[in-house]
């Protein structure tokens, strides 16, 4: 008989945000696979949940995924949790989930908090279409490269960022994406929850006056639809990307896709002007 893998979301700060179903599943599981058992013990003890724990933290993830898979094959019910929020969302867990799916194990989600969706709902930006990039690259060169790659994106953009890099990240947003609207959310659901809204430059000023600590989500408005997407704008974008070091062909490819223009036409026109 095969077991069941439950993907259980846990609070991202406020312990009241756990669901009744999550508590029941954790109490009924044979074993809890936790990212970091010491971290999760605080949460589990709070709800008097005493279960055997398997840690799948860091380098152990692959080895522990195989061990846990064997338990599932032996018929056990395994509850997968991460340090906070939804397992697999900028957290480990996906490896075990994938292996379980491949082995034909039943996988059941037990939904709950995740910082990305919580921040999106609070942002006030369009929620019809959005895109989540997880953590920004830590090196500035790569971060700027990534932002250049997505600067034309019209969907709402979400990022996780560490506190010690938040100012650098905002400086790069200002340089690459311009002075768009942004919402920076700190310590969601916790005592020091704080929301900074404004243009990138407004928020940069406010960050200079605020305490930089805790956990952050950055939500940035997609490229406004009101901005006309015509050939002149597209050519300006191509020039801008080339100025930043991207080759003509790649710049044209990226811009033509976003503007819905013919690559050949944009390429030929770019040769006239540059
Ligand atoms: N699995 C988690 C989830 O579902 O949101 C994300 C884990 S990831 C390792 C941790 C990052 O998520 C933090 O650095 C921060 O960017 C974001 N995050 C998590 N909890 C948060 C909170 N309470 N407030 C703001 N950001 C948070």
């Amino acid at each position: 008989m095969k077991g069941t893998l439950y993907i259980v979301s846990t609070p991202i700060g406020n312990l009241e945000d756990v669901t009744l179903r999550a508590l029941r599943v954790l109490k009924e599981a044979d074993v809890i696979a936790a990212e970091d058992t010491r971290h999760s013990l605080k949460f589990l003890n709070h709800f008097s949940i005493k279960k055997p724990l398997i840690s799948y933290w860091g380098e152990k993830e692959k080895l522990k995924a195989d061990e846990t898979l064997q338990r599932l094959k032996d018929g056990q019910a395994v509850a997968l949790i991460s340090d906070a929020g939804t397992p697999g969302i900028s957290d480990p867990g996906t490896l075990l989930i994938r292996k379980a799916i491949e082995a034909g194990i039943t996988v059941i989600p037990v939904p709950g908090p995740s910082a990305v969706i919580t921040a999106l709902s609070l942002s006030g930006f369009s929620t019809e279409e959005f895109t989540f990039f997880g953590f920004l690259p830590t090196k500035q060169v790569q971060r700027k490269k990534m932002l250049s790659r997505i600067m034309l994106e019209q969907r709402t953009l979400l990022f996780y960022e560490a506190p010690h890099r938040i100012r650098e990240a905002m400086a790069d947003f200002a340089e690459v994406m311009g002075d768009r609207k942004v919402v920076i959310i700190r310590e969601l659901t916790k005592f020091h929850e704080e929301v900074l809204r404004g243009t990138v430059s407004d928020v940069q000023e406010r960050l200079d006056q605020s305490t930089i600590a805790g956990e952050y989500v950055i939500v940035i408005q997609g490229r406004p639809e009101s901005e006309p997407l015509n050939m002149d704008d597209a050519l300006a974008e191509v020039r801008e990307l080339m100025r930043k070091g991207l080759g003509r062909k790649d710049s044209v490819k990226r811009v033509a896709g976003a503007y819905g223009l013919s690559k050949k036409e944009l390429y030929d026109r770019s040769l006239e002007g540059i």
Side-chain angles (χ1 to χ4, degrees), residues 105-118:
I105 304 285
T106 305
V107 181
I108 296 182
V110 182
S114 185
V116 55
I117 296 298
T118 313

Side-chain angles (χ1 to χ4, degrees), residues 12 84 86 89-91 114-115 135 160-161 188 190 215-217:
I12 53 170
T86 302
I89 307 299
S90 293
D91 261 344
S114 185
F135 283 98
Y160 286 167
E161 188 51 291
L188 272 163
K190 302 189 209 176
E215 299 192 280
Y216 287 86
V217 184

Side-chain angles (χ1 to χ4, degrees), residues 162-181:
H164 59 280
R165 275 193 293 269
I166 196 88
R167 282 201 180 96
E168 289 170 38
M170 290 311 285
D172 293 343
F173 275 115
E175 190 184 323
V176 179
M177 297 203 166
D179 209 13
R180 294 214 196 149
K181 284 193 185 154

Side-chain angles (χ1 to χ4, degrees), residues 64-224:
K64 293 291 175 175
D66 290 336
E67 260 179 58
T68 311
L69 188 65
Q70 192 51 53
R71 286 174 182 264
L72 287 163
K73 286 180 177 165
D74 292 344
Q76 291 196 5
V78 177
L80 174 71
I81 58 174
S82 63
D83 284 356
T86 302
I89 307 299
S90 293
D91 261 344
T94 308
L95 184 65
L96 174 61
I97 295 166
R98 192 177 305 135
K99 280 177 185 260
I101 293 167
E102 282 163 10
I105 304 285
T106 305
V107 181
I108 296 182
V110 182
S114 185
V116 55
I117 296 298
T118 313
L120 176 68
S121 68
L122 184 62
S123 72
F125 295 154
S126 170
T127 53
E128 271 171 39
E129 288 189 70
F130 61 91
T131 172
F132 171 53
F133 294 92
F135 283 98
L136 279 160
T138 53
K139 297 222 167 75
Q140 192 186 37
V141 177
Q142 275 144 22
R143 195 164 55 234
K144 281 195 179 170
K145 223 177 184 176
M146 179 201 184
L147 295 180
S148 309
R149 183 167 57 78
I150 61 174
M151 65 194 265
L152 298 175
E153 181 59 68
Q154 289 194 301
R155 292 173 288 187
T156 301
L157 310 163
L158 295 110
F159 307 86
Y160 286 167
E161 188 51 291
H164 59 280
R165 275 193 293 269
I166 196 88
R167 282 201 180 96
E168 289 170 38
M170 290 311 285
D172 293 343
F173 275 115
E175 190 184 323
V176 179
M177 297 203 166
D179 209 13
R180 294 214 196 149
K181 284 193 185 154
V182 67
V183 183
I184 292 196
I185 303 157
R186 174 167 92 95
E187 297 287 84
L188 272 163
T189 78
K190 302 189 209 176
F191 184 76
H192 290 292
E193 183 173 282
E194 183 181 25
V195 184
L196 302 179
R197 298 177 195 272
T199 60
V200 173
S201 56
D202 296 335
V203 168
Q204 277 180 302
E205 269 179 41
R206 304 219 353 241
L207 276 177
D208 286 341
Q209 294 148 19
S210 96
T211 314
I212 303 289
E215 299 192 280
Y216 287 86
V217 184
I218 303 173
V219 192
I220 187 154
Q221 196 180 34
R223 180 195 164 92

